[in-house]
Amino acid sequence: ADIRIGMAEALTGPAAKYGVAIKNGFTLAAEGINAKGGINGNKIVLVIEDEQGKKEEAINVFKKLIFQDKVLMIFGPTLSNSAFAADPIANATKTVVFGTSNTADGITGMGPFTFRNSVMEADVLPVTTRAAVKHFGIKKVAVLYGNDDAFTKSGYDVFKSALADQKITVTDTETYAKGDVDFKAQLTKIKASNPDAIVCSCLAEEAANIILQTRSLGMKQPFIGGNGFNSPKLFEIAKDAADNTLMGSPWSAENIAPANKQFIADYKAKFNADPDQFAAQAYDAMHIVTEALKQVKLSGNPEKDRLALRDALPAVKHDGATGKFAFRRAAPKDGKEAGYDAQQDAIVNIAKGGKFVLLK
Amino acid sequence: MFEQQLINALTLGSVYALFALGFTLVFGVLGVINLSHGAIFMLGSYIALLLVSQFQLSLWLAMAVAMLACGALGVIVDFLVLRPLRRRNAPHLSPMIATIGVAIMITNIAQGLFGAENKRFPFGTIPEDSISIGNLHLTAVQLAIVLISFILMIVLLLVMRRTQLGRALRAIAESPKAAYLLGINVEGLFLLTSFAAAALGAAAGVLVGLSFNAISPFMGQPMLHKGIAVIILGGMGDIRGAMIGGLFLGVAEVMSVAYLSSDFRDAVAFGLLFLILLVRPSGMFGKILERKA
Amino acid sequence: MSALLHIENLSVNYGHIQAVKNISLELQNSEITALVGANGAGKSTSLLAISGLIKAASGTIRMAGEDISTLSPHQIVQKGVVQVAEGRAILTTLTVQENLDLGAYTRKDKIQIHRDLDYIFTLFPVLKNRATGLAGNLSGGEQQMLAIGRALMAKPKVLLLDEPSMGLAPLMVQEIFRVLKEINQSGLTILLVEQNVRQALKIAQRGYVLENGEIVLQDSGQNLLHNPRVIAAYLGA
Amino acid sequence: MLEWWEGFWSIYSTVIFGVGINAMLALSIYLTLSCGLLSLANAAFMGIGAYAASMISMQTGLSFPVALLASACAPAVVALVIGIPTLRLSGVYLAMATLGFGEVVRVIVLNLEITGGPMGINGIPTKTEWWHIAVILGLTIFVLARLRRSKIGRAFEAIKEDEIAARLMGVNVAGYKLLAFVIGAVIAGLAGGLNAHYTFTIGPGNYAFENAVDILTMAVFGGTSNLLGPLIGSTTLTLLPEVMRSMKDFRLAANGLILILVILYLPKGIWDPARLRGLRSRFTKTSSAKGS
Amino acid sequence: MLELQAISKRFGGLHVLQDVSFTMPAGSIYGLIGPNGAGKTTIVNLITGLLRPSSGHLRFNGKDLSMVEPHKITQLGIARTFQNIRIFKEMTLLENVVVGMHDDLNYNVASLLLNLRSFREAELQAKTRAHELLSWVRLDHKAHMLADNLSYGEQRKLEFARALATQPQLLLLDEPVAGMNPSEKTELMTEINNIRNRGFSIFMIEHDMRFVMELCDRIAVLNFGKIIAEGTPDQVRSNPDVIEAYLGKEEAA
Ligand SMILES: Nc1ncnc2c1ncn2[C@@H]1O[C@H](COP(=O)(O)OP(=O)(O)OP(=O)(O)O)[C@@H](O)[C@H]1O
Ligand SMILES: Nc1ncnc2c1ncn2[C@@H]1O[C@H](COP(=O)(O)OP(=O)(O)OP(=O)(O)O)[C@@H](O)[C@H]1O
Ligand SMILES: [Mg+2]
Ligand SMILES: [Mg+2]
């Protein structure tokens, strides 16, 4: 029988650039798995819905997937904000919800059916800053982040405490808002504070623009970024202006592990574009679920199967495009049972000649 | 730092002004807040991008074609959507809502055609280096935007103030019926206005796309918010107002970052707008007819 | 003499209300024709239909032999049929000067336009004093003068006037009628809708009486002035 | 049958809740529009109501009715304070000032600790039942319908048509405008409070420009000449995306097209009594030869 | 009842009114005439609170009006019509008139919401009276039409009825017969006389001399913002200054 898996991602609206990459990652993985005979002979069928990056839509889509399409589990939603609205529905109906792009704090606190393989910033950023201090000999930095977005804001929070822990002086902290394209005012102020480097919790496209504008103001400082920087977009837009940018992430296009090389090659062949981290994490997530499902005997009764999947998932260990992966039980919140976060090592990369290479 | 911030303010303000010129033109003449202006702005950017990157057209030619194409789209929208509404004596909010529909359609089709992610013009389309005088920096596109928006404003202003065409447009703005009685080809001028406004929007789109490397189907939306603020701040449909309003907003935003906190950039800008409206209820250049009865 | 403007079997509806029913009017070249009738008789409606601002349900309007009933309003103005509409249609947010300039919108003869402007200013000196002020700030009567002045700036062949004396002081009313007579003598054809029936019929060569959308009487101005039915209904005993 | 209903309800209950909430929002803007005020503050008021109610539910032990009360009162107080200076503005200037106010509210909420910054407030307990929405919506409709038939409704309409003439008819224009503004804020705030208690989470982005415009669109789309219009408009526009879900990629473009077509063919909104009256009279005219 | 004391009004550099003083006795019909742009409408705007005088005082029944808001002035018993008609176009004739009764409809929120008898009776009464007022101006057959569909002259009449609905002691008419033909004027003249006989006082601006002279008890003449004559119609009519500035030989004759 087919295994129906729901996918609720933002396929239209401003978050679509992530949602579409994620969808590509899933379809690529599912096709690959099906081509190899599926899971114990069963084919994966993706039930794809667009949640537009809006919370009400996410709730509606989750309900439709769970009650009408009777999917086994749901991947998504794209944004953490939507996850806060929709994941409680999955937990209440005892359906596994698996986020591949939700990095905000507290996502897995929503219940024991919540899983994610998106690595929390708290695991990655401290590693990156430490590497930066060592590599560039940094003493003081300025910080720039998007303050109206859950992802960039929580990245900032982590940076802030990491910088404090590592006793790095912050010369100036600046923010911008979604949709801003001109960062010169903030950068001029940063310039006046004369930092050794600029720490930036931003998404790739904003980051690229910020880097270009920094250079056009005659500033030479290197950038330190998080997950958000990990995209080919950065170089499509900024090219080698981005050189010397440090970025930590579990996935790197430079990672020469066979699983990753395979992924990148397949992705390019199918979509005629370079994959990014969002696609990679989605790709891996599908494989992680596959591993779990291999251990499960599906009964055809959705309620039973959902429970079985949820019991099988935590034990999965996977070595995929993003490297070695395991689940880690999240700390229970307010006495409520929690779900599972990703346990993965971050790789620190440095930009050289228009691409990220591993920092030695 | 202050001097650099002033330059930042001027360039940002010019971007707003450039966007607002076409926007305010439609508003001034047709009396419609055309919420599809942001989408047309975006489309202009994409058309030029496509021509430059796929057909290797020169930038200026691409820009001209983008302006023509968007102008034509503006005319089509006017012909198919706004004109029937005028004919039917629709209440004044209906055209605005209809333009929301237009914006949704254009944005979605653009996303379908071009994808959701940001694009940029190919490297080398324009000189990337910035012009530096001492410690002050300005890129060539930014300089171009400042100059172009000033020149366009002055041209438009002269047309509106000094020519019979401008007077006719203002007559239409106040009362199409009166304009008809004066022998003005009202429908023709509506189409002309829609064309000009959309072409201006496209030009703004190309320049903004060039200077910020962030061409996306959604780039029009934030600009639209600012554009609305600018035209209201300047006074309904006033060309000078669009310019001054744009510069004012630019200065307010940049200076609030420079001397307050970037957290409150938008709040300061919109808060100021709020206060200015309380002091001058029809914007900075809005005419007030004192006569009551 | 021949009819310059020829209106035949004109009907106008508002929804299912028939405001003008099958009327026929002829404006002879260089004559003043008066159209009188009670409130709501359909006078303004007829004028708006001639100018093309309301679509007629049926009927033809010919200007110098040419059918203008299918033209759009601005084309009708270009043919020389200009109207001073009810409620004045002053552009309140433009200056007095700009209003007058726009009056000459369809003209190209710069020098003559300038001369005509001077003529308007001698007719209505207030307008000259207030030329740079907003038209909306003018008093009611001043606006009426502006409306008439602006229409004259178009150098019309046929002038349609909807209650030009409304709101004007007695001296000014006399002045307006004097001016109308004067420009008529210089060859302008005028259709005059007036509540000041006596004055209107005095200067009109011919007159029509409109009641409930229908023409009930037509005669020379002098005859109508002495027609008992007109006296009873419109001149007050 | 019962089973079918249960299945239907479990999928679509949120959509149906959404219909009710949007109906309240459309009514709230209808009220100010009926008084000639183009106020776009309703999204912000909804947000204030939502935050007030959620904070009470999350941080105090107080009951749901208290939270709802707060969601009505907090926006009312704010409306009172900002209404006095702003309502002097007219037309689009008022629209802009109220949008500006909304923006200020959004940025403040974004930067405060207690409101959770950009993350908003998460894990709000679900307390809203269908009948809460039904009762409050019903009450709103009832009150607005009664107001319409009274001197207050007439005063609103007179103000909309001609403020100066209304003043000289003895109508306290400033007072009535403020009244409309405040009642509108109360309705929007209640909608916010109810909405927060079934969507688990609220954030500063939920009450911004787009939402304000959406609310306006629902009202204008349905028609603003009486109460039924906003109800029809909000219901159609809430259900439309669900109905169109199968169109996938072109769903939004189709939404846009439908919006345009409806406005084009029904410029005064779907529910336009004058047009309906016209249709009816044409009908009766053709069916009975007497007429006129 | 109405007293203007040394009223001046400036718009920017334009002195529209200078030291205008006159007193209008209760129960009378008082006329204000003068050339176009003399400042007549401005005076009405001052009385109704739409404009504030630059200097001087306005009193109504002894009460100073200078700081009173327009709607309170209406409540004090002053109503007006407008030179440029301002009716509520999208409302029916009946509703237009009932708006004028706004202040007299005394019911509380509870009776409104619960549709109590006090509410229903007040509304019914208002509508009945509105019909009556419409019949005074012969528009009752159109009571349920939208006001926008009226012709110009009909709109004037509606405005008149609406003003009466506020139950004013003083009615200010700004060119009430503009756009009416002589027989309609005669009709309205009878109407106005009737109204005066019911105890209203009337202040009117009008350019129709037959109308003014026949109706008014006293007339003031305004020229360039100054009163140049005041007195009975006959006195005014024969005043050479008035003939020179306003009437012209023909009307005086
Ligand atoms: N827009 C409209 N919709 C419906 N009916 C209208 C409209 N305009 C005018 N009418 C009706 O048409 C008839 C003729 O109106 P019109 O304005 O032509 O009269 P008029 O002769 O100019 O009167 P007046 O002397 O009062 O200006 C009137 O009964 C009026 O009620
Ligand atoms: N708000 C204003 N700004 C500038 N000038 C004004 C304003 N209001 C009125 N005026 C001018 O003041 C003068 C008096 O105007 P007002 O309307 O009182 O005249 P009026 O006596 O009623 O004239 P009419 O008989 O023509 O109606 C006019 O010259 C007018 O242009
Ligand atoms: Mg008329
Ligand atoms: Mg006047």
Side-chain angles (χ1 to χ4, degrees):
Chain A
D2 290 345
I3 301 174
R4 296 163 67 78
I5 293 184
M7 193 206 90
E9 304 287 350
L11 302 177
T12 53
K17 46 189 158 219
Y18 320 117
V20 171
I22 293 169
K23 180 181 139 194
N24 289 348
F26 281 128
T27 39
L28 183 68
E31 278 175 18
I33 293 163
N34 285 343
K36 286 187 196 140
I39 305 166
N40 302 337
N42 297 323
K43 292 251 181 309
I44 299 174
V45 175
L46 276 179
V47 185
I48 297 171
E49 289 290 348
D50 177 13
E51 47 92 357
Q52 294 178 36
K54 294 183 186 159
K55 64 168 189 174
E56 249 103 356
E57 281 288 316
I59 294 178
N60 291 343
V61 164
F62 266 51
K63 287 190 165 178
K64 175 179 173 288
L65 288 172
I66 293 171
F67 294 110
Q68 185 175 320
D69 301 323
K70 305 230 177 344
V71 296
L72 180 62
M73 61 158 297
I74 298 176
F75 284 120
T78 305
L79 300 178
S80 295
N81 280 338
S82 303
F84 282 122
D87 289 4
I89 310 255
N91 278 291
T93 53
K94 300 202 188 325
T95 309
V96 168
V97 57
F98 194 139
T100 64
S101 56
N102 312 140
T103 51
D105 212 19
I107 293 281
T108 41
M110 273 182 293
F113 286 81
T114 327
F115 292 77
R116 64 173 160 190
N117 72 335
S118 35
V119 183
M120 284 203 304
E121 303 277 20
D123 291 336
V124 180
L125 300 184
V127 182
T128 319
T129 44
R130 211 166 287 128
V133 169
K134 214 172 109 204
H135 188 77
F136 297 117
I138 286 166
K139 302 215 167 49
K140 52 193 195 332
V141 298
V143 184
L144 178 61
Y145 72 99
N147 77 338
D148 61 346
D149 177 82
F151 171 72
T152 51
K153 169 69 163 57
S154 59
Y156 162 72
D157 289 339
V158 175
F159 266 130
K160 190 175 155 190
S161 63
L163 292 171
D165 286 347
Q166 298 168 28
K167 308 235 161 26
I168 302 170
T169 317
V170 174
T171 59
D172 186 22
T173 303
E174 295 294 328
T175 61
Y176 65 86
K178 268 195 204 101
D180 280 0
V181 286
D182 186 359
F183 309 95
K184 287 234 168 71
Q186 288 93 326
L187 292 171
T188 302
K189 220 173 148 188
I190 287 180
K191 184 182 182 187
S193 78
N194 199 22
D196 298 332
I198 299 170
V199 167
C200 186
S201 176
C202 321
L203 297 163
E205 286 150 333
E206 292 155 353
N209 250 329
I210 288 171
I211 292 171
L212 282 173
Q213 290 179 25
T214 311
R215 303 299 174 238
S216 83
L217 283 171
M219 300 158 72
K220 307 245 162 4
Q221 286 92 337
F223 275 79
I224 302 168
N227 263 313
F229 275 57
N230 194 10
S231 157
K233 273 281 146 203
L234 187 73
F235 301 107
E236 265 172 49
I237 293 172
K239 226 175 179 177
D240 44 18
D243 275 7
N244 277 336
T245 297
L246 281 197
M247 177 275 297
S249 163
W251 181 77
S252 159
E254 292 292 303
N255 180 355
I256 49 160
N260 194 38
K261 283 179 89 173
Q262 175 82 45
F263 161 68
I264 294 173
D266 290 353
Y267 192 96
K268 276 191 179 154
K270 185 165 167 63
F271 301 108
N272 191 25
D274 289 329
D276 63 7
Q277 173 194 325
F278 290 102
Q281 282 173 330
Y283 181 85
D284 275 4
M286 183 60 88
H287 283 103
I288 292 167
V289 167
T290 304
E291 306 253 321
L293 285 175
K294 283 188 182 150
Q295 314 304 321
V296 176
K297 239 185 106 56
L298 292 174
S299 65
N301 173 342
E303 269 118 64
K304 263 199 205 138
D305 292 344
R306 287 168 181 167
L307 275 179
L309 173 61
R310 122 94 232 196
D311 293 336
L313 260 178
V316 175
K317 302 262 187 294
H318 181 67
D319 192 355
T322 60
K324 286 199 173 23
F325 172 89
F327 281 113
R328 175 178 75 204
R329 180 117 215 192
K333 223 173 100 188
D334 315 330
K336 249 185 8 196
E337 214 185 328
Y340 293 83
D341 287 323
Q343 177 66 54
Q344 246 179 330
D345 289 332
I347 313 166
V348 181
N349 302 274
I350 186 163
K352 282 278 178 262
K355 60 180 190 177
F356 277 123
V357 298
L358 300 183
L359 181 73
K360 302 277 160 25
Chain B
M1 179 171 102
F2 175 75
E3 292 81 6
Q4 180 67 46
Q5 292 292 25
L6 209 58
I7 292 179
N8 296 341
L10 188 69
T11 52
L12 181 63
S14 305
V15 168
Y16 292 154
L18 189 60
F19 179 85
L21 280 178
F23 197 28
T24 208
L25 195 63
V26 175
F27 187 31
V29 177
L30 280 74
V32 174
I33 298 192
N34 182 357
L35 294 181
S36 69
H37 196 68
I40 295 209
F41 162 88
M42 173 270 293
L43 203 61
S45 214
Y46 268 110
I47 292 175
L49 172 65
L50 204 68
L51 293 174
V52 168
S53 60
Q54 304 288 315
F55 298 92
Q56 273 76 41
L57 244 57
S58 83
L59 176 65
W60 301 112
L61 200 57
M63 183 156 158
V65 176
M67 287 174 73
L68 282 179
C70 286
L73 181 65
V75 169
I76 293 173
V77 169
D78 188 79
F79 200 78
L80 292 183
V81 179
L82 300 180
R83 191 164 89 136
L85 286 175
R86 287 196 289 273
R87 291 257 163 105
R88 279 168 210 170
N89 252 332
H92 69 291
L93 284 178
S94 307
M96 182 175 106
I97 303 294
T99 60
I100 295 180
V102 175
I104 296 177
M105 280 183 69
I106 297 179
T107 311
N108 251 260
I109 292 172
Q111 196 198 324
L113 292 179
F114 309 118
E117 74 270 20
N118 288 14
K119 297 251 162 69
R120 61 161 293 161
F121 277 92
F123 286 89
T125 307
I126 39 142
E128 307 270 326
D129 314 320
S130 55
I131 304 158
S132 313
I133 309 151
N135 215 7
L136 301 181
H137 302 272
L138 179 71
T139 59
V141 200
Q142 284 181 315
L143 193 63
I145 290 184
V146 174
L147 291 179
I148 291 177
S149 55
F150 267 96
I151 291 170
L152 281 177
M153 178 204 66
I154 290 167
V155 169
L156 274 181
L157 201 62
L158 287 178
V159 169
M160 289 306 260
R161 295 275 137 203
R162 293 287 157 79
T163 67
Q164 194 73 327
L165 173 68
R167 278 190 283 272
L169 288 173
R170 285 186 291 140
I172 296 175
E174 181 177 330
S175 159
K177 179 186 161 196
Y180 270 124
L181 287 170
L182 293 168
I184 295 171
N185 181 354
V186 176
E187 280 303 328
L189 290 189
F190 275 144
L191 290 180
L192 179 70
T193 305
S194 297
F195 179 88
L200 283 173
V206 177
L207 290 170
V208 169
L210 274 172
S211 89
F212 296 121
N213 305 306
I215 303 172
S216 90
F218 313 102
M219 68 190 278
Q221 197 61 11
M223 203 50 101
L224 193 67
H225 298 191
K226 302 286 162 73
I228 296 176
V230 167
I231 62 171
I232 304 275
L233 193 61
M236 287 187 46
D238 191 285
I239 307 285
R240 261 174 319 161
M243 192 74 208
I244 308 267
L247 289 179
F248 181 90
L249 194 65
V251 171
E253 286 191 13
V254 168
M255 293 306 164
S256 75
V257 170
Y259 297 104
L260 293 165
S261 153
S262 42
D263 282 341
F264 294 97
R265 177 176 179 155
D266 285 354
V268 169
F270 281 88
L272 267 178
L273 174 78
F274 187 84
L275 292 180
I276 287 179
L277 282 180
L278 294 189
V279 182
R280 285 200 56 94
S282 323
M284 295 195 287
F285 290 97
K287 284 196 189 110
I288 305 172
L289 257 187
E290 291 163 76
R291 203 182 163 87
K292 299 268 173 65
Chain C
M1 255 194 315
S2 62
L4 181 60
L5 193 72
H6 208 106
I7 297 147
E8 243 174 302
N9 304 329
L10 180 74
S11 296
V12 185
N13 302 335
Y14 291 114
H16 56 272
I17 303 170
Q18 208 179 1
V20 171
K21 300 164 193 160
N22 220 24
I23 63 166
S24 298
L25 298 174
E26 282 183 10
L27 304 198
Q28 301 297 332
N29 203 350
S30 307
E31 274 194 7
I32 297 180
T33 307
L35 179 63
V36 300
N39 291 143
K43 306 180 294 294
S44 303
T45 305
S46 309
L47 291 200
L48 290 175
I50 296 173
S51 281
L53 281 169
I54 309 180
K55 283 277 155 278
S58 64
T60 52
I61 301 161
R62 265 173 298 155
M63 168 72 187
E66 184 188 353
D67 189 352
I68 59 168
S69 39
T70 54
L71 298 185
S72 67
H74 71 275
Q75 290 167 319
I76 293 174
V77 175
Q78 280 161 8
K79 299 278 171 212
V81 182
V82 174
Q83 174 168 183
V84 176
E86 193 171 55
R88 304 182 191 113
I90 282 295
L91 298 162
T92 54
T93 54
L94 271 62
T95 64
V96 171
Q97 178 75 51
E98 288 172 329
N99 267 277
L100 290 169
D101 288 343
L102 278 174
Y105 185 75
T106 52
R107 295 171 60 186
K108 298 275 176 291
D109 45 340
K110 283 238 167 70
I111 301 165
Q112 190 57 38
I113 289 177
H114 214 84
R115 237 175 267 155
D116 288 348
L117 188 66
D118 284 341
Y119 172 62
I120 305 292
F121 281 154
T122 43
L123 272 185
F124 307 117
V126 225
L127 299 186
K128 187 167 190 173
N129 296 336
R130 305 292 291 276
T132 55
L134 288 187
N137 282 337
L138 294 180
S139 84
E142 291 163 343
Q143 291 186 7
Q144 186 67 40
M145 297 177 213
L146 178 58
I148 297 171
R150 191 179 63 180
L152 291 179
M153 286 298 291
K155 257 237 146 111
K157 297 198 183 85
V158 176
L159 184 60
L160 313 173
L161 290 157
D162 202 344
E163 310 202 17
S165 76
M166 190 197 301
L168 294 182
L171 253 179
M172 197 40 85
V173 175
Q174 290 162 28
E175 177 68 8
I176 292 279
F177 278 103
R178 193 187 61 68
V179 170
L180 290 183
K181 227 157 127 180
E182 190 181 302
I183 53 178
N184 166 245
Q185 271 154 12
S186 67
L188 181 64
T189 309
I190 295 175
L191 177 58
L192 179 61
V193 168
E194 254 302 331
Q195 294 297 2
N196 200 333
V197 177
R198 187 185 308 274
Q199 291 261 31
L201 290 178
K202 256 190 212 162
I203 63 164
Q205 282 88 350
R206 73 184 21 260
Y208 292 86
V209 178
L210 196 62
E211 274 175 15
N212 291 322
E214 286 172 289
I215 298 220
V216 292
L217 272 178
Q218 73 180 82
D219 208 334
S220 73
Q222 280 308 312
N223 287 349
L224 284 178
L225 211 44
H226 299 104
N227 183 315
R229 183 163 166 190
V230 174
I231 294 176
Y234 302 109
L235 298 177
Chain D
M1 180 67 199
L2 194 70
E3 199 174 322
W4 173 85
W5 171 250
E6 269 177 11
F8 176 83
W9 183 250
S10 50
I11 300 171
Y12 292 110
S13 60
T14 323
V15 178
I16 293 165
F17 284 19
V19 168
I21 297 298
N22 284 338
M24 289 178 65
L25 291 170
L27 286 174
S28 78
I29 203 168
Y30 154 82
L31 185 65
T32 41
L33 280 176
S34 77
C35 188
L37 298 170
L38 180 51
S39 156
L40 297 179
N42 304 54
F45 288 139
M46 178 192 187
I48 294 173
Y51 270 97
S54 313
M55 275 152 56
I56 286 187
S57 287
M58 301 278 288
Q59 283 160 19
T60 70
L62 296 171
S63 66
F64 189 44
V66 180
L68 280 185
L69 196 66
S71 75
C73 294
V77 172
V78 178
L80 209 58
V81 174
I82 70 150
I84 291 168
T86 28
L87 293 178
R88 296 183 307 128
L89 299 173
S90 59
V92 287
Y93 295 101
L94 177 66
M96 195 58 232
T98 45
L99 271 183
F101 158 75
E103 195 60 19
V104 172
V105 169
R106 185 182 71 83
V107 175
I108 290 175
V109 169
L110 194 62
N111 285 291
L112 284 183
E113 284 294 319
I114 45 163
T115 53
M119 258 72 89
I121 299 179
N122 301 310
I124 303 165
T126 45
K127 289 185 176 165
T128 304
E129 305 275 353
W130 67 270
W131 60 267
H132 295 148
I133 298 179
V135 166
I136 293 179
L137 176 63
L139 214 63
T140 308
I141 295 173
F142 173 76
V143 170
L144 294 190
R146 292 303 308 164
L147 284 187
R148 247 180 89 79
R149 299 165 150 268
S150 73
K151 67 174 199 171
I152 301 179
R154 270 193 305 271
F156 285 170
E157 213 175 324
I159 293 171
K160 171 165 122 188
E161 296 245 346
D162 187 332
E163 232 175 83
I164 289 175
R167 274 161 101 181
L168 293 180
M169 292 300 114
V171 175
N172 180 352
V173 169
Y176 277 105
K177 279 181 167 180
L178 196 59
L179 182 70
F181 193 59
V182 171
I183 300 179
V186 168
I187 300 172
L190 278 170
L194 288 167
N195 173 268
H197 286 85
Y198 72 84
T199 55
F200 306 99
T201 174
I202 58 175
N206 299 138
Y207 311 104
F209 179 89
E210 275 77 17
N211 308 77
V213 174
D214 282 350
I215 296 173
L216 178 67
T217 305
M218 289 187 287
V220 175
F221 185 79
T224 51
S225 45
N226 71 25
L227 280 175
L228 225 50
L231 292 177
I232 294 176
S234 56
T235 310
T236 340
L237 286 183
T238 316
L239 295 181
L240 194 60
E242 283 315 305
V243 178
M244 311 282 290
R245 199 173 278 292
S246 58
M247 295 205 49
K248 294 277 174 196
D249 291 353
F250 293 100
R251 169 155 76 130
L252 286 181
N255 276 354
L257 188 63
I258 290 175
L259 192 61
I260 297 172
L261 290 178
V262 170
I263 295 281
L264 269 190
Y265 290 101
L266 309 167
K268 295 191 174 160
I270 300 179
W271 189 254
D272 173 10
R275 186 174 49 89
L276 295 174
R277 218 179 295 136
L279 284 178
R280 195 175 56 211
S281 70
R282 197 180 310 160
F283 180 72
T284 48
K285 212 178 157 195
T286 46
S287 59
S288 73
K290 290 169 217 162
S292 173
Chain E
M1 105 182 301
L2 179 70
E3 195 188 344
L4 272 72
Q5 219 175 43
I7 293 283
S8 293
K9 177 71 190 170
R10 281 186 298 276
F11 292 109
L14 208 65
H15 285 248
V16 173
L17 294 175
Q18 293 169 37
D19 258 335
V20 172
S21 306
F22 61 80
T23 309
M24 172 188 169
S28 66
I29 299 185
Y30 196 92
L32 179 63
I33 60 176
N36 296 120
K40 305 179 295 296
T41 301
T42 306
I43 288 183
V44 172
N45 285 345
L46 289 169
I47 299 172
T48 48
L50 291 182
L51 293 173
R52 299 285 172 215
S54 305
S55 65
H57 289 280
L58 272 160
R59 281 195 196 83
F60 178 63
N61 288 337
K63 185 169 164 40
D64 191 344
L65 294 184
S66 18
M67 290 316 288
V68 185
E69 284 177 81
H71 68 270
K72 296 249 170 66
I73 290 180
T74 307
Q75 289 164 12
L76 286 175
I78 300 182
R80 74 174 283 183
T81 63
F82 295 87
Q83 187 175 358
N84 302 322
I85 299 175
R86 306 189 83 134
I87 50 170
F88 305 123
K89 296 192 169 181
E90 297 289 320
M91 296 169 87
T92 64
L93 274 62
L94 193 73
E95 285 168 335
N96 262 277
V97 178
V98 178
V99 171
M101 301 170 184
H102 182 83
D103 202 45
D104 292 333
L105 281 170
N106 288 316
Y107 42 71
N108 55 26
V109 177
S111 62
L112 180 173
L113 286 181
L114 302 176
N115 200 12
L116 296 183
R117 186 194 277 154
S118 61
F119 169 80
R120 275 174 298 164
E121 275 179 358
E123 283 283 320
L124 192 66
Q125 227 171 24
K127 291 201 173 116
T128 320
R129 208 161 68 79
H131 269 292
E132 189 188 323
L133 286 170
L134 282 174
S135 70
W136 285 12
V137 293
R138 295 171 204 239
L139 282 175
D140 47 334
H141 61 292
K142 295 191 169 179
H144 294 286
M145 266 172 57
L146 287 190
D148 197 23
N149 296 345
L150 296 180
S151 79
Y152 200 82
E154 291 168 328
Q155 296 188 0
R156 285 213 166 280
K157 293 180 184 174
L158 172 61
E159 239 199 357
F160 191 69
R162 189 182 65 176
L164 285 178
T166 65
Q167 300 213 319
Q169 297 167 43
L170 172 62
L171 189 57
L172 311 170
L173 305 175
D174 197 350
E175 305 199 14
V177 297
M180 294 193 186
N181 68 36
S183 42
E184 288 168 329
K185 286 177 187 170
T186 314
E187 243 173 56
L188 195 62
M189 224 184 288
T190 331
E191 221 68 74
I192 290 178
N193 252 324
N194 287 342
I195 288 166
R196 188 246 303 267
N197 294 339
R198 290 194 179 103
F200 296 94
S201 308
I202 291 164
F203 176 94
M204 89 166 88
I205 298 172
E206 184 49 66
H207 290 303
D208 185 300
M209 282 309 110
R210 188 171 66 98
F211 195 77
V212 174
M213 297 295 171
E214 262 178 51
L215 272 178
C216 293
D217 303 314
R218 292 188 76 78
I219 296 173
V221 186
L222 199 63
N223 191 23
F224 288 117
K226 292 191 186 121
I227 301 272
I228 55 168
E230 211 264 0
T232 63
D234 283 330
Q235 287 168 344
V236 165
R237 202 198 317 248
S238 52
N239 184 319
D241 289 344
V242 177
I243 294 176
E244 159 86 34
Y246 182 66
L247 289 175
K249 307 245 154 42
E250 215 169 296
E251 282 286 349

